[in-house]
Amino acid sequence: KGGVSAHVLLTLDPKMQDRAMAAVKGLPEATAAYTVSGAHDAIVMLTAETSAHLDEVLTRIGKFPGVNRTTSAILLSTLFERA
């Protein structure tokens, strides 16, 4: 699996959460999404072809109605991974 991957924490408007997540789900770069506890509402796993492509996807997500804030962690290397 090539490309650039990131985990993106989303802070959502509660009244528009469904709309925001439907928009995220429509992105081919979004491979998974989960609700989370704590200061954020969801985490989205993204995979893009290049860092420039990832930057463009993050910009798009930030503009979706209902997305108040994004916080991204770009994955640099794999320490271990279980199937």
Side-chain angles (χ1 to χ4, degrees), residues 17-28 30 60-61 64-65 67:
Q17 185 169 339
D18 291 343
R19 183 175 175 187
M21 291 311 301
V24 170
K25 187 176 182 179
L27 294 170
R60 286 172 52 201
I61 291 172
F64 286 158
V67 175

Side-chain angles (χ1 to χ4, degrees), residues 18-77:
D18 291 343
R19 183 175 175 187
M21 291 311 301
V24 170
K25 187 176 182 179
L27 294 170
E29 298 87 357
T31 59
Y34 306 92
T35 57
V36 294
S37 63
H40 303 283
D41 300 302
I43 186 168
V44 178
M45 311 321 191
L46 297 177
T47 301
E49 295 174 12
T50 64
S51 58
H53 180 203
L54 179 62
D55 187 43
E56 183 266 328
V57 174
L58 292 171
T59 298
R60 286 172 52 201
I61 291 172
K63 292 179 180 178
F64 286 158
V67 175
N68 292 339
R69 181 181 174 140
T70 64
T71 303
S72 304
I74 297 170
L75 305 184
L76 300 175
S77 65

